[in-house]
Amino acid sequence: MFKALLVEKNEDGKTSAAVQEIREDQLPEGDVTVAVEYSTVNYKDGLCIGPGGGLVRTYPHVPGIDFAGTVETSDDDRYKPGDKVVLTGWRVGENRWGGYAQKARVKADMLVPLPEGLTPRQAMAVGTAGLTAMLAVMALEDQGIKDGPVLVTGAAGGVGSVATAILAKLGHEVAAVTGRPEQGDYLRGLGATQIVARDELTEVTRKPLEAEVWGGCVDAVAGAMLGRVLKQMHYGASVAAIGLAGGAVIEGALITPFILRGVNLLGIDSVMQPYDNRVRAWQRIAQDLPMDKLESMVQPATLSDLPQLGRDILKGQVKGRVVVDVNA
């Protein structure tokens, strides 16, 4: 028996989440069984802990879209007992049981070896949010980051925090957008050199273009903010779009930035990312994410904290990275 956060649904369709003891034979089929050490909390986790948000197929369910730990058993030659591994994405924690448990069983293809120099705790301080941030930075680099500050929207969130720290470590001037002025010192501590109030970028305008300001952008907001930002990009600059906290429609957007300034809009997906690119991203994280900055983002938690944290993250009340010690 081992502990897990189990989400159940009653006959009325109402869900509830609580830490329970479950048996190993209840785990889903898979090639590798992992003794989970740490997980984390993402927006999707908040949905899955609560009403499901259309992500959970069957109940009872164990959420947790990320985890890091040690291989216990493996039917795949790529992994052996004692190997340290990390998992993000592949809809684990959504359509199959995830990392909010002391054990998990998954397909070997879903795992990545933990990079040398990273601990399981650090890997979950990074998690899906940090992996997405690194993929976004890599995409901007592949297109060429232009002169001028690199804008990070939703900068106090999980993706934004890691993106800010990585970009600053790489020597870029970072402009951090936040709707919470009290987060200014936190963002400067991550390396931001400029704090931009969210209200400055949310007004919808019909101007075809605005002054060229940004050399690149990691955007977690979309909506009206992305519509404004696209008009303010330098010639040939790129926006890496990783989220839609402000809505799925790019309000006020016109074709003009793309055909007159050659602006690129790059979609970033971390869920189904190919294995080789995952390995490349994790190696870059170990190399380019300052670990002291990473630690400053961490909010520690346990399995019993997750129901409340799930509600908090859906309300935008979680700062930085939550690291869940599943054995605490």
Side-chain angles (χ1 to χ4, degrees), residues 121-154:
R121 183 179 182 276
Q122 289 172 328
M124 284 299 97
V126 175
T128 288
L131 176 65
T132 304
M134 190 72 249
L135 291 168
V137 172
M138 287 163 49
L140 293 180
E141 290 176 337
D142 290 344
Q143 294 295 325
I145 297 176
K146 308 305 179 184
D147 291 337
V150 180
L151 190 72
V152 179
T153 71

Side-chain angles (χ1 to χ4, degrees), residues 148-221:
V150 180
L151 190 72
V152 179
T153 71
V159 177
S161 293
V162 178
T164 298
I166 291 173
L167 288 163
K169 169 77 178 303
L170 293 172
H172 298 287
E173 182 182 352
V174 181
V177 182
T178 181
R180 297 177 280 175
E182 68 277 9
Q183 301 301 335
D185 288 344
Y186 166 73
L187 293 168
R188 290 186 185 91
L190 297 180
T193 54
Q194 180 182 352
I195 307 300
V196 180
R198 181 171 57 196
D199 291 346
E200 294 182 21
L201 291 172
T202 53
E203 181 184 356
V204 177
T205 72
R206 294 299 170 185
K207 295 179 181 179
L209 291 171
E210 298 184 32
E212 297 180 45
V213 180
W214 316 115
C217 174
V218 176
D219 176 59
V221 178

Side-chain angles (χ1 to χ4, degrees), residues 9-272:
K9 180 182 284 188
N10 64 21
E11 294 179 355
D12 297 327
K14 185 177 181 180
T15 58
S16 60
V19 179
Q20 298 187 31
E21 294 274 349
I22 63 175
R23 304 184 311 275
E24 190 162 340
D25 62 13
Q26 292 177 266
L27 289 171
E29 294 183 359
D31 307 314
V32 183
T33 301
V34 178
V36 179
E37 296 172 39
Y38 294 95
S39 186
T40 183
V41 179
N42 304 277
Y43 192 87
K44 281 185 178 179
D45 295 315
L47 293 173
C48 294
I49 291 169
L55 301 175
V56 179
R57 291 183 178 179
T58 58
Y59 293 88
H61 179 67
V62 176
I65 68 171
D66 308 355
F67 65 77
T70 305
V71 172
E72 280 196 344
T73 63
S74 175
D75 296 326
D76 189 286
D77 292 340
R78 287 172 288 179
Y79 298 101
K80 63 184 185 301
D83 286 348
K84 297 291 185 180
V85 292
V86 59
L87 180 143
T88 62
W90 300 114
R91 299 206 65 199
V92 170
E94 300 175 45
N95 65 8
R96 63 181 291 137
W97 283 16
Y100 291 165
Q102 293 172 327
K103 291 181 187 288
R105 185 176 293 134
V106 296
K107 297 176 182 178
D109 289 341
M110 298 174 173
L111 296 169
V112 173
L114 187 69
E116 186 175 348
L118 277 186
T119 66
R121 183 179 182 276
Q122 289 172 328
M124 284 299 97
V126 175
T128 288
L131 176 65
T132 304
M134 190 72 249
L135 291 168
V137 172
M138 287 163 49
L140 293 180
E141 290 176 337
D142 290 344
Q143 294 295 325
I145 297 176
K146 308 305 179 184
D147 291 337
V150 180
L151 190 72
V152 179
T153 71
V159 177
S161 293
V162 178
T164 298
I166 291 173
L167 288 163
K169 169 77 178 303
L170 293 172
H172 298 287
E173 182 182 352
V174 181
V177 182
T178 181
R180 297 177 280 175
E182 68 277 9
Q183 301 301 335
D185 288 344
Y186 166 73
L187 293 168
R188 290 186 185 91
L190 297 180
T193 54
Q194 180 182 352
I195 307 300
V196 180
R198 181 171 57 196
D199 291 346
E200 294 182 21
L201 291 172
T202 53
E203 181 184 356
V204 177
T205 72
R206 294 299 170 185
K207 295 179 181 179
L209 291 171
E210 298 184 32
E212 297 180 45
V213 180
W214 316 115
C217 174
V218 176
D219 176 59
V221 178
M225 185 175 294
L226 180 54
R228 288 291 302 280
V229 168
L230 286 168
K231 299 173 187 180
Q232 299 176 2
M233 301 303 296
H234 275 286
Y235 188 92
S238 302
V239 177
I242 60 89
L244 38 69
V249 176
I250 307 176
E251 298 174 55
L254 300 171
I255 197 70
T256 321
F258 305 114
I259 62 173
L260 294 185
R261 285 190 182 158
V263 172
N264 304 298
L265 181 58
L266 313 173
I268 306 299
D269 166 66
S270 65
V271 177
M272 306 302 292

